[in-house]
Amino acid sequence: MRTTWADRTASGPVGAVLALAGIAAGVLVGDGGLDTVVGCGFPGDDYPSQTAKDWVAGADHVVVATPTAEKDTNRRDFDEGAIRYQTDRAVTFRTDDVLWSSRQPRHALGQDFEMVAAGWRVYR
């Protein structure tokens, strides 16, 4: 029988250390931190968007979408400092599946929609 690195790790001391690290991280983050939808929202969001509950409370629609195009927008050039320029990006999405919609949405949802997302920082 052949064992893999994952088999040895899960049953050995490394697996135990990883499990303890996960438990410690959960305790340090707190119960609410474990509810978050990973990768969604920015720490400085004007609207809460970290959990599915936030989405339903503040969104017009919750969708599964595929990005179809993007372009740079809102370029800002800097004469001094480490950053030469910074830009956002306008991303066009195709609506694949509507998971939820508000009873009275402020905005209609079409087959395609656009949003501004974080872009790039180009350093000197």
Side-chain angles (χ1 to χ4, degrees):
M1 181 168 140
R2 185 173 177 215
T3 60
T4 65
W5 179 85
D7 294 334
R8 289 188 305 256
T9 302
S11 62
V14 173
V17 170
L18 290 174
L20 287 174
I23 293 168
V27 170
L28 293 173
V29 168
D31 185 42
L34 300 176
D35 295 327
T36 61
V37 180
V38 178
C40 295
F42 297 103
D45 263 350
D46 292 336
Y47 304 99
S49 63
Q50 296 294 311
T51 66
K53 187 176 182 178
D54 289 341
W55 290 357
V56 170
D60 287 334
H61 311 278
V62 177
V63 301
V64 175
T66 301
T68 57
E70 75 174 70
K71 62 184 175 188
D72 290 347
T73 185
N74 194 26
R75 179 178 167 145
R76 293 157 320 270
D77 293 300
F78 301 99
D79 294 330
E80 297 178 11
I83 300 171
R84 185 181 328 160
Y85 70 89
Q86 179 175 330
T87 183
D88 296 329
R89 47 194 180 121
V91 183
T92 303
F93 291 91
R94 178 187 68 233
T95 303
D96 295 330
D97 191 15
V98 179
L99 303 176
W100 177 86
S101 286
S102 171
R103 289 187 182 137
Q104 295 180 336
R106 294 164 295 199
H107 305 283
L109 179 66
Q111 184 59 31
D112 295 315
F113 63 95
E114 195 170 275
M115 66 175 261
V116 175
W120 322 109
R121 285 184 178 169
V122 175
Y123 292 90
R124 299 189 192 281

